[in-house]
Amino acid sequence: TRYFVDHRKVRVVGGQGGGGGHSFYSEPRKIFGGPDGGNGGDGGHVILKADQQMKSLASVLPFYQGFRGERGGSKNCYGANGAYVYVKVPVGTLVKEDGKVVADLTQHGEEYVAAYGGAGGKGNRFFLSNENRAPTLFTPGEPGQERVLHLELKTTAHAGLVGFPNAGKSSLLRAISRAKPAVAAYPFTTLNPHVGIVHYQDYEQVAVADIPGLIKGAHQNRGLGMAFLRHIERCRFLLYVVDLSVSQPWIQLQDLKYELEQYKKGLSERPCVVIGNKIDVAQSRINLPLLKEQIDDRVIALSALTGDNLEELLLHLRELYDAYVKTEQSRGQSPIKW
Ligand code: GDP
């Protein structure tokens, strides 16, 4: 199963700078050759790097330490700088410190220095002057910068399944992709958004996210509220899933749109389609025409359980995806690919 870990707290510490060297040159007939301790190397940075291949923050560890700089040696040898530690994060990762956004990695290959390595110390050669021909002073390397950062990833699936608990979102995602989210007849079957990939014959892939936990009052942070609304924000189009077997299914749709709109204006106006699920239940067949009367959006009635009419959804999903790719290209931007 591919699921999203969308929050990570990481402590990053830059490498310690290498200490300065302390030595005096000496050889036969040149016994007092003068100071020749080289400077220490700088500690390595810890760098966050956006990588297209990464799809979640799951592989990010809680702690990273940069490499130390080497000590300065005799014969004026400088210590080597510590190597950089690269932490691969998905494109679209937001970096926050104390609640403030410090970086937004939106391009493949973009880098952000999370913690600078400490500067290397000075060797005693550095302190040579006319006043002091034999300095014994040398300085230690400085410690690396230390920070605690919050990484945040907003789901970048193309489509989001938006619906109240038990509407059948997980079942639907299972039916159209190879994702294996848990399915159960109680609310909150899934706590993480799952992403399933729908494969088409021409090798195009559309990512669909099951966004769980949306309930009435979610925008006021009821239930798991905001945490999930945040995922919806980045989906390019929305698939509203309503349970046709309950009476007045259009109320569900109004409530859903209301929640989205309260969270962020304009969110409920994304390209969308309404999926009437559980058409296999007798009551649904009565409710379907009533729903169609009540709303203007296109309604696709299907059953995630029996697989009835899934083709219509898959075809329409592709249309939405193609439209999205076209608009992105006409704006000169590259569409998200999986
Ligand atoms: P979610 O909370 O929206 O992810 O809903 P689930 O996918 O976990 O489904 C909730 C319940 O509805 C489960 O017991 C499913 O078996 C059932 N269910 C889902 N789709 C259908 C359907 O098309 N027909 C029927 N009869 N039941 C369904």
Side-chain angles (χ1 to χ4, degrees), residues 214-234:
L214 196 66
I215 56 167
K216 264 194 191 175
H219 71 274
Q220 294 158 330
N221 221 353
R222 277 186 42 196
L224 296 162
M226 293 295 200
F228 293 117
L229 283 165
R230 209 172 29 222
H231 290 290
I232 301 177
E233 219 182 310
R234 283 211 177 170

Side-chain angles (χ1 to χ4, degrees), residues 240-260:
Y240 293 106
V241 184
V242 296
D243 184 347
L244 278 183
S245 65
V246 300
S247 62
Q248 302 189 314
W250 53 91
I251 307 267
Q252 289 175 48
L253 192 67
Q254 282 167 10
D255 289 343
L256 285 173
K257 288 195 170 181
Y258 176 76
E259 288 300 327
L260 297 196

Side-chain angles (χ1 to χ4, degrees), residues 163-172 182-190 210 277-281 302-306:
F164 289 121
N166 266 332
K169 299 180 296 300
S170 318
S171 311
L172 190 59
V183 175
Y186 54 84
F188 301 127
T189 24
T190 32
D210 167 15
N277 192 24
K278 310 196 185 179
I279 192 69
D280 54 313
V281 181
L302 51 74
S303 166
L305 205 64
T306 62

Side-chain angles (χ1 to χ4, degrees), residues 57 114 208 257 295 306-307 331:
L57 293 171
V208 180
K257 288 195 170 181
I295 60 172
T306 62
R331 279 198 249 144

